[in-house]
PDB file of all heavy atoms in Angstrom:
ATOM      1  N   ASN A  46      -4.307 -40.176  -8.387  1.00 94.00           N
ATOM      2  CA  ASN A  46      -4.319 -41.366  -7.636  1.00 94.00           C
ATOM      3  C   ASN A  46      -5.810 -41.807  -7.222  1.00 94.00           C
ATOM      4  O   ASN A  46      -6.259 -42.921  -7.304  1.00 94.00           O
ATOM      5  CB  ASN A  46      -3.457 -41.369  -6.410  1.00 94.00           C
ATOM      6  CG  ASN A  46      -3.039 -42.772  -5.951  1.00 94.00           C
ATOM      7  OD1 ASN A  46      -2.747 -43.649  -6.778  1.00 94.00           O
ATOM      8  ND2 ASN A  46      -3.101 -42.870  -4.665  1.00 94.00           N
ATOM      9  N   ARG A  47      -6.529 -40.793  -6.767  1.00 94.00           N
ATOM     10  CA  ARG A  47      -7.885 -41.063  -6.314  1.00 94.00           C
ATOM     11  C   ARG A  47      -8.792 -41.593  -7.562  1.00 94.00           C
ATOM     12  O   ARG A  47      -9.562 -42.620  -7.352  1.00 94.00           O
ATOM     13  CB  ARG A  47      -8.551 -39.783  -5.850  1.00 94.00           C
ATOM     14  CG  ARG A  47      -9.921 -39.958  -5.169  1.00 94.00           C
ATOM     15  CD  ARG A  47     -10.388 -38.741  -4.474  1.00 94.00           C
ATOM     16  NE  ARG A  47      -9.519 -38.481  -3.316  1.00 94.00           N
ATOM     17  CZ  ARG A  47      -8.854 -37.349  -3.018  1.00 94.00           C
ATOM     18  NH1 ARG A  47      -8.958 -36.315  -3.801  1.00 94.00           N
ATOM     19  NH2 ARG A  47      -8.180 -37.197  -1.918  1.00 94.00           N
ATOM     20  N   GLU A  48      -8.633 -40.998  -8.646  1.00 93.00           N
ATOM     21  CA  GLU A  48      -9.338 -41.451  -9.852  1.00 93.00           C
ATOM     22  C   GLU A  48      -8.968 -42.790 -10.267  1.00 93.00           C
ATOM     23  O   GLU A  48      -9.698 -43.628 -10.610  1.00 93.00           O
ATOM     24  CB  GLU A  48      -9.206 -40.405 -10.986  1.00 93.00           C
ATOM     25  CG  GLU A  48      -9.663 -39.083 -10.764  1.00 93.00           C
ATOM     26  CD  GLU A  48     -11.068 -38.921 -10.160  1.00 93.00           C
ATOM     27  OE1 GLU A  48     -11.961 -39.817 -10.492  1.00 93.00           O
ATOM     28  OE2 GLU A  48     -11.307 -38.026  -9.537  1.00 93.00           O
ATOM     29  N   ALA A  49      -7.548 -43.108 -10.194  1.00 93.00           N
ATOM     30  CA  ALA A  49      -7.106 -44.438 -10.580  1.00 93.00           C
ATOM     31  C   ALA A  49      -7.676 -45.481  -9.628  1.00 93.00           C
ATOM     32  O   ALA A  49      -8.007 -46.626 -10.047  1.00 93.00           O
ATOM     33  CB  ALA A  49      -5.532 -44.417 -10.528  1.00 93.00           C
ATOM     34  N   ASN A  50      -7.728 -45.183  -8.319  1.00 93.00           N
ATOM     35  CA  ASN A  50      -8.296 -46.086  -7.365  1.00 93.00           C
ATOM     36  C   ASN A  50      -9.737 -46.424  -7.644  1.00 93.00           C
ATOM     37  O   ASN A  50     -10.163 -47.508  -7.604  1.00 93.00           O
ATOM     38  CB  ASN A  50      -8.196 -45.602  -5.916  1.00 93.00           C
ATOM     39  CG  ASN A  50      -6.819 -45.699  -5.323  1.00 93.00           C
ATOM     40  OD1 ASN A  50      -6.000 -46.593  -5.710  1.00 93.00           O
ATOM     41  ND2 ASN A  50      -6.428 -44.821  -4.473  1.00 93.00           N
ATOM     42  N   THR A  51     -10.476 -45.368  -7.974  1.00 91.00           N
ATOM     43  CA  THR A  51     -11.888 -45.556  -8.269  1.00 91.00           C
ATOM     44  C   THR A  51     -12.092 -46.442  -9.506  1.00 91.00           C
ATOM     45  O   THR A  51     -12.861 -47.333  -9.682  1.00 91.00           O
ATOM     46  CB  THR A  51     -12.639 -44.205  -8.501  1.00 91.00           C
ATOM     47  OG1 THR A  51     -12.435 -43.436  -7.347  1.00 91.00           O
ATOM     48  CG2 THR A  51     -14.105 -44.424  -8.693  1.00 91.00           C
ATOM     49  N   LEU A  52     -11.240 -46.157 -10.619  1.00 89.00           N
ATOM     50  CA  LEU A  52     -11.230 -46.890 -11.751  1.00 89.00           C
ATOM     51  C   LEU A  52     -10.941 -48.353 -11.549  1.00 89.00           C
ATOM     52  O   LEU A  52     -11.664 -49.265 -12.015  1.00 89.00           O
ATOM     53  CB  LEU A  52     -10.281 -46.458 -12.807  1.00 89.00           C
ATOM     54  CG  LEU A  52     -10.679 -45.119 -13.492  1.00 89.00           C
ATOM     55  CD1 LEU A  52      -9.461 -44.596 -14.312  1.00 89.00           C
ATOM     56  CD2 LEU A  52     -11.776 -45.316 -14.438  1.00 89.00           C
ATOM     57  N   GLY A  53      -9.973 -48.688 -10.655  1.00 89.00           N
ATOM     58  CA  GLY A  53      -9.663 -49.989 -10.290  1.00 89.00           C
ATOM     59  C   GLY A  53     -10.752 -50.713  -9.512  1.00 89.00           C
ATOM     60  O   GLY A  53     -11.094 -51.875  -9.781  1.00 89.00           O
ATOM     61  N   SER A  54     -11.440 -49.983  -8.656  1.00 88.00           N
ATOM     62  CA  SER A  54     -12.457 -50.547  -7.859  1.00 88.00           C
ATOM     63  C   SER A  54     -13.762 -50.858  -8.698  1.00 88.00           C
ATOM     64  O   SER A  54     -14.571 -51.725  -8.281  1.00 88.00           O
ATOM     65  CB  SER A  54     -12.841 -49.675  -6.632  1.00 88.00           C
ATOM     66  OG  SER A  54     -13.453 -48.525  -7.097  1.00 88.00           O
ATOM     67  N   LYS A  55     -13.902 -50.101  -9.732  1.00 86.00           N
ATOM     68  CA  LYS A  55     -15.095 -50.283 -10.587  1.00 86.00           C
ATOM     69  C   LYS A  55     -14.895 -51.351 -11.629  1.00 86.00           C
ATOM     70  O   LYS A  55     -15.805 -51.757 -12.408  1.00 86.00           O
ATOM     71  CB  LYS A  55     -15.533 -49.022 -11.284  1.00 86.00           C
ATOM     72  CG  LYS A  55     -16.166 -48.047 -10.329  1.00 86.00           C
ATOM     73  CD  LYS A  55     -16.692 -46.824 -11.023  1.00 86.00           C
ATOM     74  CE  LYS A  55     -17.540 -45.946 -10.211  1.00 86.00           C
ATOM     75  NZ  LYS A  55     -18.161 -44.835 -10.981  1.00 86.00           N
ATOM     76  N   SER A  56     -13.661 -51.774 -11.799  1.00 85.00           N
ATOM     77  CA  SER A  56     -13.259 -52.697 -12.860  1.00 85.00           C
ATOM     78  C   SER A  56     -13.988 -54.042 -12.753  1.00 85.00           C
ATOM     79  O   SER A  56     -14.028 -54.617 -11.693  1.00 85.00           O
ATOM     80  CB  SER A  56     -11.704 -52.928 -12.868  1.00 85.00           C
ATOM     81  OG  SER A  56     -11.437 -53.855 -13.798  1.00 85.00           O
ATOM     82  N   VAL A  57     -14.456 -54.551 -13.907  1.00 83.00           N
ATOM     83  CA  VAL A  57     -15.058 -55.875 -14.020  1.00 83.00           C
ATOM     84  C   VAL A  57     -14.312 -56.704 -15.031  1.00 83.00           C
ATOM     85  O   VAL A  57     -14.674 -57.767 -15.300  1.00 83.00           O
ATOM     86  CB  VAL A  57     -16.632 -55.819 -14.308  1.00 83.00           C
ATOM     87  CG1 VAL A  57     -17.390 -55.179 -13.180  1.00 83.00           C
ATOM     88  CG2 VAL A  57     -16.820 -55.092 -15.573  1.00 83.00           C
TER      89      VAL A  57
END
Side-chain angles (χ1 to χ4, degrees):
N46 198 45
R47 187 172 291 126
E48 301 307 331
N50 282 334
T51 304
L52 286 169
S54 69
K55 287 186 170 186
S56 174
V57 293

